[in-house]
Amino acid sequence: LIRKTPATISDISTTFMGIFYSAYLPSYWVRLRGLGMVLPAEVALNKWIVRCLPIWPKNLVPLSHAWTTGSLVTWWTYVSIVASDVGAYFAGKKFGKTKLSTISKSAGYASPNKTVEGVIGGMVCSSAISVLAALMLEWPMWYLTGSIYGVMLCIIGLVGDLTASMFKRDAGFKDSGNILPGHGGYLDRVDSYIFTAPPAYVFITVALPLF
């Protein structure tokens, strides 16, 4: 409103896209963390602590207000995304031969070095962590729901990664910043988490109770 020249549609869309990308999508992590005892998360956690560490002091068992379903699912989701990134990196470096551009030209343009083998490696690692989480949190049909959740996180995380790469290429930048040298900027560390927040929340609140 205070500009001397009227804003273009491109300017307006960029502003709204920034709000949607940097505020609305990550807000689902807050919603996920705020979930209460939808599932017996605290009971499951305490049972596994006692089972795996029988000498664990009872006064050190996490409190219910700190270890709700939301906090546990959020933590395991973070770990699954990290496992996806690590698995994709090492699998792509060791076995990567088929460029992602052979499947999607847009994906190849956004990130020319990504490979199909790397994506598969990310799916395997993410699913392994998610299956372990589903088992410990006593999800229904944990072997299936955990696998679906892990694959979903890997794919959506990849979309988030490619989207951030497209942002940088469109702006003409190689890195999104210099806060984390060698990592492509801070955005490259969190891009996978931005897009995975809404699907993770919907899976836990809508899809999981259906099993």
Side-chain angles (χ1 to χ4, degrees), residues 2 5 12 15 20 25 35 41 43 55-56 69 93 97 100 123 126 143 160 162-163 169 173-174 178 180 198 206:
I2 62 175
T5 57
I12 297 173
T15 300
F20 177 79
L25 292 180
L35 292 179
V43 176
I55 60 174
W56 188 272
T69 294
K93 193 172 184 179
K97 295 181 180 179
L100 203 58
M123 288 183 183
S126 179
Y143 49 89
L162 295 175
T163 301
R169 287 185 176 274
F173 290 100
K174 181 179 183 295
N178 54 9
L180 297 174
V206 178

Side-chain angles (χ1 to χ4, degrees), residues 106-107 109-111 159-172:
S106 298
Y109 169 78
S111 187
V159 173
D161 189 5
L162 295 175
T163 301
S165 297
M166 291 181 66
F167 285 164
K168 292 189 296 183
R169 287 185 176 274
D170 185 66

Side-chain angles (χ1 to χ4, degrees), residues 24-105:
Y24 179 72
L25 292 180
S27 71
Y28 277 88
W29 286 121
V30 180
R31 303 184 192 190
L32 184 61
R33 172 61 181 85
L35 292 179
M37 298 298 290
V38 179
L39 299 173
E42 184 205 353
V43 176
L45 177 69
N46 291 345
K47 184 178 69 175
W48 278 95
I49 289 178
V50 174
R51 180 184 301 175
C52 299
L53 300 170
I55 60 174
W56 188 272
K58 292 184 178 181
N59 61 334
L60 294 182
V61 173
L63 300 176
S64 59
H65 70 271
W67 289 92
T68 61
T69 294
S71 63
L72 290 173
V73 171
T74 300
W75 188 83
W76 278 110
T77 302
Y78 283 174
V79 175
S80 296
I81 295 174
V82 171
S84 173
D85 291 341
V86 173
Y89 174 78
F90 285 104
K93 193 172 184 179
K94 179 69 175 179
F95 307 104
K97 295 181 180 179
T98 309
K99 295 293 183 181
L100 203 58
S101 57
T102 59
I103 298 178
S104 171
K105 292 183 178 180

